[in-house]
Amino acid sequence: MTNATNQPGAGDIEPQDGLVSELRRDGDLIMTGAAGYVDDLPLGHVAHAAILRSPHPHARIVAIDVEKVKAARNVLAVLTGDDLVGMVNPLPHLFDPKIFGLPTAEFYALATEKVRWVGEPVAAVAAETLADAERALDLIDVVYEEIPFVTDAVEAMARGAPKVFDHWEDNVLAMFPFEEGDVDAAIAASTHVIKDVISIQRFQAAPMECRGYVGDWTRGGKITIHASTQQPHQVRTKLSVTLGVTEANIRVVQPRVGGSFGLKFHGYQEESLVCLLSRLAGRPVKWLETRAESLLIGAREFRHEFRVGFEPNGRINGVHNRSIGNIGCLSTWGGWSMVYPNGMSFPGPYAIKNYKMESYGVVTNKAPWSGARGYGKESATLVIERIVDLVAKKIGMDAIDVRRVNFIASDQFPYWTRAKHLDSGDYQGALDQVVELSGYHEWRRVQRDRPADGPLLGVGVAFDLTPEGADASSLIRGHDTTTVRVSPNGAVSVLTGVTSSGTGNETSIAALVAREFGVHPSTVSVFQGDTDISPYGFGSFSGRSLVAGGGAGVLAAREIKDKLRTAASVLLEVEPGDVVFSDGQVRSAANPSRAMDFALLCEQIYSTSYVNPGLLEPQLEATCTYRPGNVTMVPDEHGRISPYPCFPYSAHVAVVEIDRETGYPRVIDYSCVHDSGTVISPKLVDSQLNGAIVMGIGGALYESQPFDDKGHPEALTFKQYLLPRATDLPTIRLGTQVTPSPFTLFGAKGAGESGVGGALASVAIAVNDALEPVGVTVHQLPLTPSRILDALLSSDVAR
Amino acid sequence: MTHQTPAPVSTVSVTVNGTRRTFVCEDRTLLVYAIRDNLDLKGTRVGCMNGDCGACTIKLDGQAVKSCLLLAASADGAEIVTLEGIAPPGQLSPLQKAMWEEDAFQCGFCVAGALFAAQELLDTHDDPDEEDIRKALIGNLCRCTGYEYMVEAVKSVARARRQGGTCDSSVD
Ligand code: FES
Ligand code: FES
């Protein structure tokens, strides 16, 4: 096994062209209903699970009586928290706060003693049918003693607030500080100072397929779990800890996944519950999350309080931001750690010498966070870009020009901040390109010339710097591992530890490996997501699958290619350096008539190596691990680290129209230019970017999970939790800029997340730009018609 | 043992993807579950069970409908087309081809909704424009694509039809 670290960019892929020209894999299966998601699989005589959840935000469990359930028709098994204690271990955390020296807590898969959020699993039932299981839940009697609760983060920080965890000092889980220079002095010395707030609501990933797990614990002691997850290997490792079963006896299979966007990280209670219920029921047990259950999962709720000091020429001297993240209850899901990238991303693409970012994670009695595309970076983008826009408005300068003054220049890379070593870029170039693409100046003219009583029109610009490829102290790592195997007939198998949640990275990985061997990608098969088949890997997150898994695949292919080259030089009687691989052939570059089929070469190596001196390496299989460069976890002499290797970015222009009568905002034009480094499959990257932008638009205008004053979440269906629909959106214009990363194998930086923050920010800025003539602002997302209307009605100008 | 009366059942006959099928299900069974479980057609999917997402869309007696909102028993005697039956086995309709070529999906979980809704538009409009297409897709949620390339795919089918006059409708 090769362990290639910090390998500089190989740079032999033309960054702009992309490699993939054929159709994405399995499109025919998807188009005809044969895709095979977790609920579609024939997995034997499956029983169905349902979970009884807490109806209270905070209560002591006095007693649970399951006797009636045990006697109920068609019920096969029932579990409570008390059953689990002693039977299994507590669930390991995805990110245990204690590794950062923070307070923590221990959780079983079902609540013991106390419930801390509405929806917390209290008991689980397996029955013949889902209807049987759901009916059985009604027969469970739980006596709760309600205790005071808190759902607001600022209230939770106040002295005397109800404590979510009795053994903690208070409700503050974490405060991650990121600081350089002397921000107070810089702001004090500034000509202008602005103080303001902007708040982002609780909204989530909402993939179209909810989570689902089918556990099968056989009498022989082997467990197989089919899981709609991003991280099959980590599900296995953690199940092994919880259940006390060796990993070798657990197989986790990730079938096709119907979207994830961070929601399907590991650490969920149901992963082990289906296994335990299966053991009791003696049958495979399936649990499928309902939409209402899925919408419990939180993310992103931050309040940003900021101060900025700047000069009349637009130069920002110092920024101070205090972010308060309402992370809901701590749990074994890792989403709370979004608080870190929210802070670490500061101060974005700008060369601001003095800044201080304090990123708080505060626990409350709401459901916990899990991952959500952007992972806190979108929240940082929102506040940074809002700050830039306010600076521009104050000095009457175009926000484009304020960015120009403050951007890190293209000749300053690589560029250090407290917790980032920025790889490469041309930020000004991307902004110029999107200004052009969007017709920005034309929109400004339209805005100036519009009739005074017409709809309000706003233009918003935003720049989204998106750290990618996270390498953290946990089973979230930046590297990954791929095996490449070439068979005697020349067929290539790629077995990789990275997974796809529906993005199509298998198509790109196949193209990368095929290119090494000069064979058609159709001869390359990619296997992912089965712990019995793939090397140990970390799955999919942080836009890293292609960089890490694809990179490892290229390295493994190159190792095999060296053997093939040696053998070909013997068989073709040419120098090894003269051997080229192309069009399914291996030939001499100098004398192309000396050639043989790739398949024949493989066959010769497998079958005749002992009679052919020079073909002494008969096995065409290699496993390599690739870790992108540019990750520094040991602080340098200035105390700086860089847990992310790659920094793709995108520049956005949104145009929003607001109806004066109803306050209804509408995005009427949208443009974005992105730099994801070298692109392998341009169409797949662009499609992900479209999805990210629309998720950001959703967050800016529609999506929200509000809580009522009893601590209950209010959005239980897509009739309350509003996702953007096709009619809510304009055509999105995309442009590409490519500055390859000097720190990754082929210059890719990662794709998939950049865009959420840019859209959140550009739309929020555009709405406020539209409201400027009436002299009001809105700063609590989502910017709903009612919030905008309230602002309009409060305006003297409007009246 | 708690004694509950077993739920009443019905025998339902439908023509699905051209084949006559008869099955027995509880009266309360929703059509989406009957299609998935009794007929074993997994292309009809559950995204919300609330009529919001369109992942469960089928064609019922010529109309695109959300099968999570209907009782299976109410479909007795109906003619149903599911995602599996849009084109003959081994083939793709022009819209399916265009969706693939345009990368109009990522995870693919939502595609039944877009395929049936957009085909209905193409069957009833000679020359739909972007607004028509977006309106046709209003009942379907897709979280992956932002709908952008879905709209493109529908446009490209309409364009090919205008230019070539060949692919005038779905194959079914
Ligand atoms: S499952 Fe029927 S509309 Fe969503
Ligand atoms: S392709 Fe994933 S939801 Fe539409």
Side-chain angles (χ1 to χ4, degrees):
Chain A
M1 179 178 295
T2 310
N3 194 351
T5 55
N6 296 339
Q7 181 138 353
D12 60 341
I13 293 173
E14 275 312 310
Q16 219 110 18
D17 297 350
L19 266 184
V20 174
S21 45
E22 68 276 9
L23 296 175
R24 63 165 283 168
R25 307 207 145 195
D26 294 349
D28 46 350
L29 300 182
I30 286 173
M31 280 293 109
T32 56
Y37 305 91
V38 70
D39 189 25
D40 302 348
L41 307 175
L43 295 174
H45 191 207
V46 171
H48 297 263
I51 312 256
L52 183 71
R53 293 173 183 277
S54 167
H56 303 298
H58 206 185
R60 260 180 264 290
I61 301 173
V62 178
I64 304 185
D65 181 355
V66 295
E67 284 316 306
K68 273 185 271 172
V69 186
K70 287 187 176 156
R73 188 165 55 96
N74 289 344
V75 169
L76 304 167
V78 56
L79 281 171
T80 66
D82 282 350
D83 297 332
L84 298 184
V85 179
M87 179 198 284
V88 293
N89 294 310
L91 301 177
H93 285 258
L94 192 160
F95 278 114
D96 194 333
K98 83 169 176 246
I99 55 181
F100 304 97
L102 303 170
T104 188
E106 196 176 82
F107 302 97
Y108 283 87
L110 296 166
T112 54
E113 294 171 27
K114 227 175 138 181
V115 287
R116 296 184 176 86
W117 43 281
V118 171
E120 182 166 3
V122 171
V125 171
E128 284 295 334
T129 68
L130 182 58
D132 291 328
E134 286 177 345
R135 188 176 46 229
L137 298 185
D138 285 344
L139 303 175
I140 302 177
D141 288 323
V142 188
V143 181
Y144 294 100
E145 178 198 328
E146 290 183 62
I147 46 185
F149 66 92
V150 60
T151 52
D152 180 88
V154 175
E155 284 170 23
M157 289 172 92
R159 199 185 288 276
K163 276 206 281 178
V164 178
F165 293 96
D166 298 331
H167 65 287
W168 292 14
E169 245 161 63
D170 54 29
N171 290 320
V172 178
L173 169 68
M175 197 285 275
F176 295 114
F178 298 86
E179 184 175 7
E180 284 185 272
D182 183 343
V183 74
D184 289 331
I187 291 177
S190 295
T191 310
H192 300 292
V193 177
I194 293 175
K195 245 179 96 172
D196 210 333
V197 294
I198 190 158
S199 299
I200 178 171
Q201 77 282 20
R202 182 181 172 100
F203 80 104
Q204 60 138 277
M208 282 301 105
E209 179 202 41
C210 296
R211 293 181 301 124
Y213 312 101
V214 187
D216 187 5
W217 192 325
T218 62
R219 270 175 220 278
K222 294 231 181 217
I223 300 171
T224 303
I225 171 169
H226 287 75
S228 187
T229 180
Q230 293 168 222
Q231 297 188 288
H233 278 282
Q234 288 66 45
V235 170
R236 182 175 72 158
T237 303
K238 304 282 171 98
L239 274 179
S240 159
V241 174
T242 308
L243 304 176
V245 172
T246 163
E247 277 187 86
N249 280 347
I250 303 175
R251 177 182 178 197
V252 181
V253 183
Q254 174 218 51
R256 193 177 302 279
V257 172
S260 180
F261 319 108
L263 189 104
K264 295 174 184 171
F265 272 111
H266 71 275
Y268 287 105
Q269 292 86 337
E270 296 87 356
E271 293 160 3
S272 52
L273 288 175
V274 290
C275 299
L276 290 165
L277 288 170
S278 166
R279 183 168 63 170
L280 295 173
R283 290 181 29 197
V285 171
K286 179 192 285 194
W287 175 77
L288 296 173
E289 189 179 47
T290 65
R291 185 55 67 183
E293 288 173 314
S294 197
L295 286 170
L296 290 169
I297 296 168
R300 316 189 205 268
E301 184 177 358
F302 282 103
R303 173 184 166 86
H304 301 283
E305 301 166 355
F306 57 85
R307 274 186 312 143
V308 52
F310 53 100
E311 296 307 314
N313 66 1
R315 166 65 59 194
I316 296 174
N317 299 328
V319 184
H320 180 198
N321 188 51
R322 189 166 176 264
S323 289
I324 298 168
N326 183 340
I327 62 164
C329 186
L330 178 70
S331 78
T332 52
W333 324 346
W336 70 268
S337 63
M338 251 177 264
V339 171
Y340 182 89
N342 169 64
M344 176 274 305
S345 299
F346 236 68
Y350 305 109
I352 297 172
K353 290 283 164 239
N354 306 286
Y355 66 89
K356 183 172 180 182
M357 168 62 156
E358 295 156 297
S359 190
Y360 286 81
V362 179
V363 292
T364 63
N365 295 107
K366 291 184 178 181
W369 286 7
S370 191
R373 178 194 236 167
Y375 215 84
K377 301 164 252 181
E378 75 289 5
S379 177
T381 292
L382 174 69
V383 61
I384 295 163
E385 294 303 292
R386 175 66 175 147
I387 288 170
V388 169
D389 199 63
L390 286 171
V391 166
K393 293 240 182 297
K394 175 83 183 177
I395 55 181
M397 198 165 156
D398 194 310
I400 300 279
D401 297 319
V402 175
R403 290 185 174 85
R404 196 185 303 277
V405 170
N406 291 288
F407 268 146
I408 297 162
S410 54
D411 58 5
Q412 286 178 285
F413 292 100
Y415 183 94
W416 266 115
T417 71
R418 168 64 58 214
K420 296 189 293 298
H421 189 239
L422 300 172
D423 44 6
S424 62
D426 177 8
Y427 299 164
Q428 185 59 51
L431 188 66
D432 289 345
Q433 202 180 325
V434 81
V435 164
E436 179 74 30
L437 180 70
S438 62
Y440 174 79
H441 294 295
E442 178 61 15
W443 278 114
R444 286 289 182 210
R445 197 188 55 71
V446 171
Q447 191 181 29
R448 269 195 312 274
D449 298 349
R450 73 192 185 283
D453 54 351
L456 296 162
L457 186 82
V459 184
V461 178
F463 196 97
D464 190 359
L465 178 73
T466 318
E468 291 290 42
D471 199 334
S473 316
S474 63
L475 292 181
I476 300 291
R477 295 300 309 273
H479 64 271
D480 223 297
T481 303
T482 301
T483 297
V484 175
R485 182 182 297 150
V486 183
S487 79
N489 63 11
V492 181
S493 302
V494 180
L495 297 74
T496 179
V498 300
T499 56
S500 167
S501 307
T503 55
N505 62 38
E506 62 278 14
T507 304
S508 311
I509 292 171
L512 281 169
V513 170
R515 174 174 165 278
E516 293 299 322
F517 294 130
V519 298
H520 195 270
S522 62
T523 65
V524 179
S525 309
V526 178
F527 299 88
Q528 301 174 285
D530 183 335
T531 55
D532 271 9
I533 295 178
S534 318
Y536 195 99
F538 297 93
S540 112
F541 56 87
S542 205
R544 63 182 268 290
S545 300
L546 188 65
V547 175
V554 167
L555 293 180
R558 286 181 185 169
E559 226 174 78
I560 296 169
K561 197 172 164 182
D562 283 343
K563 296 181 192 174
L564 291 168
R565 186 190 303 283
T566 309
S569 75
V570 172
L571 294 172
L572 298 175
E573 298 174 6
V574 298
E575 288 302 311
D578 183 38
V579 176
V580 293
F581 295 75
S582 70
D583 303 319
Q585 287 217 314
V586 186
R587 62 167 73 88
S588 153
N591 182 0
S593 66
R594 283 178 185 268
M596 67 194 298
D597 281 349
F598 179 80
L600 182 62
L601 173 62
C602 300
E603 198 263 339
Q604 292 280 302
I605 291 173
Y606 272 98
S607 59
T608 70
S609 62
Y610 59 93
V611 292
N612 261 322
L615 275 65
L616 294 177
E617 286 270 19
Q619 187 63 14
L620 299 179
E621 176 160 336
T623 297
C624 287
T625 296
Y626 177 63
R627 182 184 182 204
N630 204 33
V631 170
T632 330
M633 300 304 266
V634 180
D636 72 358
E637 69 274 21
H638 305 287
R640 302 176 303 201
I641 58 165
S642 191
Y644 288 78
C646 298
F647 300 88
Y649 53 87
S650 50
H652 303 248
V653 175
V655 183
V656 171
E657 207 173 69
I658 296 175
D659 184 301
R660 282 175 199 265
E661 298 296 313
T662 61
Y664 188 82
R666 211 183 139 66
V667 181
I668 59 166
D669 200 77
Y670 203 98
S671 307
C672 172
V673 170
H674 72 105
D675 184 344
S676 306
T678 304
V679 174
I680 306 301
S681 302
K683 201 78 190 285
L684 297 185
V685 168
D686 284 357
S687 185
Q688 283 198 64
L689 180 58
N690 284 328
I693 289 169
V694 169
M695 194 177 280
I697 293 175
L701 299 181
Y702 312 115
E703 296 176 38
S704 180
Q705 175 59 282
F707 279 66
D708 67 16
D709 56 11
K710 303 242 169 19
H712 287 244
E714 293 186 304
L716 301 180
T717 76
F718 287 139
K719 286 186 175 63
Q720 298 90 27
Y721 190 98
L722 302 177
L723 294 177
R725 293 181 183 268
T727 43
D728 297 322
L729 304 161
T731 304
I732 295 170
R733 252 177 261 116
L734 296 183
T736 311
Q737 187 203 54
V738 178
T739 58
S741 164
F743 302 111
T744 63
L745 192 56
F746 39 87
K749 293 178 176 176
E753 292 199 285
S754 201
V756 179
L760 266 181
S762 62
V763 171
I765 290 168
V767 166
N768 278 296
D769 187 56
L771 295 176
E772 197 191 11
V774 279
V776 294
T777 59
V778 278
H779 35 232
Q780 170 63 61
L781 270 54
L783 305 170
T784 56
S786 65
R787 286 197 174 116
I788 293 173
L789 200 57
D790 281 348
L792 284 171
L793 293 174
S794 74
S795 154
D796 299 333
V797 187
R799 261 182 260 132
Chain B
M1 171 84 55
T2 321
H3 289 282
Q4 288 129 340
T5 357
V9 295
S10 302
T11 302
V12 180
S13 285
V14 291
T15 305
V16 60
N17 302 331
T19 307
R20 187 99 181 140
R21 303 274 301 267
T22 300
F23 58 90
V24 175
C25 66
E26 293 182 349
D27 285 0
R28 64 184 174 187
T29 304
L30 291 163
L31 184 54
V32 63
Y33 287 139
I35 291 171
R36 291 185 56 82
D37 301 335
N38 298 77
L39 302 174
D40 199 28
L41 294 165
K42 307 295 193 189
T44 306
R45 299 192 186 96
V46 170
C48 69
M49 289 308 285
N50 202 42
D52 299 324
C53 74
C56 64
T57 305
I58 58 166
K59 195 150 116 181
L60 183 90
D61 289 335
Q63 256 207 322
V65 298
K66 291 171 175 169
S67 62
C68 72
L69 296 180
L70 295 168
L71 290 167
S74 75
D76 190 31
E79 185 146 346
I80 290 174
V81 181
T82 67
L83 185 56
E84 291 85 346
I86 288 179
Q91 294 181 37
L92 296 176
S93 74
L95 181 60
Q96 286 172 318
K97 258 189 231 147
M99 292 263 292
W100 194 5
E101 278 160 11
E102 295 290 335
D103 277 312
F105 54 87
Q106 286 172 31
C107 77
F109 198 79
C110 68
V111 295
L115 281 168
F116 283 109
Q119 190 62 54
E120 204 166 81
L121 173 76
L122 288 164
D123 290 345
T124 50
H125 275 63
D126 290 338
D127 193 10
D129 64 12
E130 167 132 3
E131 201 185 322
D132 298 328
I133 297 170
R134 288 186 182 269
K135 277 196 180 137
L137 295 175
I138 193 169
N140 305 304
L141 291 172
C142 173
R143 191 55 151 173
C144 296
T145 65
Y147 313 99
E148 197 60 36
Y149 296 155
M150 272 182 198
V151 174
E152 285 306 314
V154 183
K155 276 190 198 162
S156 86
V157 174
R159 202 181 312 123
R161 194 164 66 174
R162 265 198 321 272
Q163 286 163 359
T166 42
C167 40
D168 52 336
S169 139
S170 72
V171 263
D172 68 325

